[in-house]
Amino acid sequence: MFNLTAQKLTEMKAFNTATEIHQQPEVWKETVESLKKDSGRNKEFINGILHKHDMVKVILTGAGTSAFAGDTLAPVLKKQNAGNVQFESIATTDIVSNPEDYFKKETPTILVSFARSGNSPESVAAVELGEQIVDDFYQVIITCNKDGLLAKNSTEDKNSLIILTPEKAHDQAMAMTSSFTSMILSAYGVFSSAFKDSDFHAVIENGERLLDSAAVQIDKILEFDFNRIIYLGSGPLKELSHEAALKMLELTAGQVVAVHESSLGFRHGPKSILDDQSVVVLFMSQNEYTRKYDMDILREIASDESGLKVLVLTEKTDSEIEKLADWVIQVNTGSEKMESDFELALLYVVFAQTLAMKKSMHLGITPDNPSPTGRINRVVQGVTIYGYDKE
């Protein structure tokens, strides 16, 4: 995998991370098959709630990477759904500290919890707060761990729907990779009005090809000794850039400063981070209108004379992108066009994950556990949950 032997990956304590990144197209296939099999049950649960109430608030939630799953999905689902359903993405870390800002007693609410382990204290507490505050409270738990507290606590609850990702998605490495993509794909399948399992055949095939070729491309990128990376995108790809930046920050133990911003927002102050050891990564939209703004910031950054480098991920490349960027990654090498930026997000993030892993190894860090001192952990530690008095 990734131009490295299993022995080398094991020696570098990167085997789990590499395996969990590389297996994602296979995990997506299993996820789509599971969604197809369970579509009747899932639709019955969601439609039963929507038909019961004049308006329903759907909160996509999680902590860290799981929160970014909701952030990436929310713009997509808002665009597709109208009428009596309202989508919001709110991190459990915000809900737990300020529950009354997000839970309203008289607003029927579906809390969609993204959870790899299902044992994070904020995830469990967010559910308890929702049950305490909201009169008509429902849950959709999307988790990689059937034995986690979130799943166990809701097994007998008729107002809860538990969706388990494929077993392989229960990442054992510290950083979430296949768990992230399988959970957002699961939620998309449940809530998207446009979901068709056939649409993802091209995504899966392109993912396989991308992961087979990524190592060669990334090894060339790593010849540039960068210590700052800036991920840019628009719409859901702006939200995805947060997860991409976190992967680099986590896997390099903070040795690479990693930030994210929107293509338009970058000019408004964040651009000051650029120096001659920076890489700017642009997640290019496939939407013709949005792409104009992505191209504008690409032209502007490419004219910078500091010595920084520009990496563009795009569905299809063209002569102008090739001229402006130092490296171009075309993620769709087939004839079938991607239908949305959500499909591109799955492909873009696996490349970002791989880049972060390879950079970690390049720095002599162990990707499976990049924080051996325990500064950060696979399941968050040190959180105190305080009792809430709704009176």
Side-chain angles (χ1 to χ4, degrees):
M1 290 181 289
F2 305 116
N3 282 348
L4 296 164
T5 64
Q7 180 179 348
K8 182 65 174 177
L9 288 168
T10 301
E11 290 173 358
M12 292 291 295
K13 296 182 180 178
F15 185 80
N16 285 340
T17 304
T19 300
E20 289 155 6
I21 292 172
H22 196 268
Q23 71 185 6
Q24 286 176 97
E26 182 181 348
V27 171
W28 300 343
K29 184 178 180 180
E30 292 182 27
T31 301
V32 169
E33 290 172 351
S34 179
L35 287 167
K36 185 177 181 180
K37 182 186 71 172
D38 296 334
S39 62
R41 179 199 66 156
N42 297 342
K43 287 180 180 178
E44 181 181 3
F45 180 82
I46 299 300
N47 290 337
I49 298 170
L50 299 183
H51 292 155
K52 185 177 178 181
H53 303 286
D54 293 335
M55 194 282 289
V56 175
K57 183 177 184 179
V58 180
I59 297 177
L60 308 172
T61 196
T65 289
S66 295
F68 306 151
D71 291 346
T72 302
L73 272 171
V76 179
L77 297 178
K78 284 179 182 178
K79 182 179 178 181
Q80 292 182 2
N81 290 272
N84 68 332
V85 58
Q86 174 188 350
F87 287 90
E88 292 185 43
S89 180
I90 306 166
T92 56
T93 47
D94 292 328
I95 291 173
V96 169
S97 61
N98 295 78
E100 292 181 355
D101 290 351
Y102 309 109
F103 288 140
K104 303 300 179 185
K105 175 180 174 61
E106 297 178 355
T107 302
T109 300
I110 303 174
L111 188 70
V112 183
S113 296
F114 295 101
R116 174 172 63 177
S117 71
N119 292 320
S120 295
E122 298 99 332
S123 295
V124 176
V127 172
E128 293 174 350
L129 287 163
E131 291 174 334
Q132 189 175 355
I133 296 171
V134 182
D135 287 341
D136 295 296
F137 182 76
Y138 309 91
Q139 289 188 79
V140 175
I141 298 165
I142 300 176
T143 182
C144 307
N145 183 15
K146 67 181 186 303
D147 297 319
L149 288 175
L150 274 182
K152 281 188 171 182
N153 292 348
S154 303
T155 302
E156 303 298 326
D157 183 4
K158 62 181 177 60
N159 287 336
S160 296
L161 175 67
I162 301 172
I163 297 174
L164 297 175
T165 65
E167 183 62 31
K168 291 177 182 177
H170 190 192
D171 298 328
Q172 299 306 300
M174 193 208 71
M176 292 174 64
T177 53
S178 58
S179 54
F180 173 78
T181 56
S182 64
M183 287 194 297
I184 61 173
L185 181 52
S186 294
Y188 184 81
V190 172
F191 287 101
S192 171
S193 59
F195 176 77
K196 297 177 183 176
D197 58 279
S198 58
D199 289 344
F200 287 88
H201 294 164
V203 178
I204 292 166
E205 291 173 359
N206 277 297
E208 291 170 343
R209 289 192 289 265
L210 178 62
L211 285 163
D212 286 342
S213 63
V216 173
Q217 298 161 311
I218 287 171
D219 286 343
K220 292 178 181 178
I221 294 169
L222 291 179
E223 292 175 6
F224 177 63
D225 187 26
F226 64 91
N227 59 22
R228 299 183 182 190
I229 192 164
I230 301 92
Y231 282 95
L232 303 178
S234 301
L237 297 178
K238 182 259 185 179
E239 307 303 336
L240 182 77
S241 71
H242 201 168
E243 169 59 13
L246 178 64
K247 283 288 95 58
M248 182 63 74
L249 192 67
E250 286 180 323
L251 291 178
T252 64
Q255 290 191 35
V256 176
V257 176
V259 299
H260 73 286
E261 189 48 84
S262 68
S263 296
L264 274 172
F266 190 53
R267 297 183 182 90
H268 294 263
K271 193 179 173 188
S272 59
I273 195 174
L274 297 177
D275 65 10
D276 59 3
Q277 286 186 280
S278 300
V279 171
V280 178
V281 183
L282 178 59
F283 290 154
M284 188 75 69
S285 175
Q286 54 80 47
N287 180 283
E288 290 185 11
Y289 177 79
T290 306
R291 191 181 179 93
K292 293 176 182 178
Y293 293 101
D294 293 337
M295 287 300 301
D296 279 353
I297 197 65
L298 173 59
R299 296 183 189 105
E300 185 171 322
I301 294 169
S303 67
D304 192 291
E305 298 180 355
S306 67
L308 62 81
K309 301 293 185 181
V310 182
L311 166 62
V312 174
L313 278 80
T314 181
E315 179 185 3
K316 296 287 187 180
T317 189
D318 59 39
S319 58
E320 185 176 13
I321 293 175
E322 296 283 348
K323 180 179 179 181
L324 293 171
D326 296 282
W327 307 290
V328 180
I329 307 300
Q330 177 176 299
V331 300
N332 184 0
T333 54
S335 58
E336 189 174 338
K337 189 179 186 301
M338 299 287 103
E339 293 296 324
S340 69
D341 282 348
F342 175 75
E343 294 177 16
L344 288 180
L346 293 169
L347 299 173
Y348 288 171
V349 78
V350 296
F351 188 90
Q353 293 166 351
T354 308
L355 177 61
M357 180 192 69
K358 295 279 279 187
K359 180 65 172 180
S360 175
M361 298 174 71
H362 186 75
L363 292 171
I365 298 168
T366 54
D368 286 351
N369 184 20
S371 184
T373 63
R375 178 170 289 164
I376 57 174
N377 300 276
R378 184 175 177 275
V379 179
V380 71
Q381 305 293 314
V383 178
T384 300
I385 301 296
Y386 297 97
Y388 171 75
D389 184 359
K390 64 180 179 179
E391 300 300 329

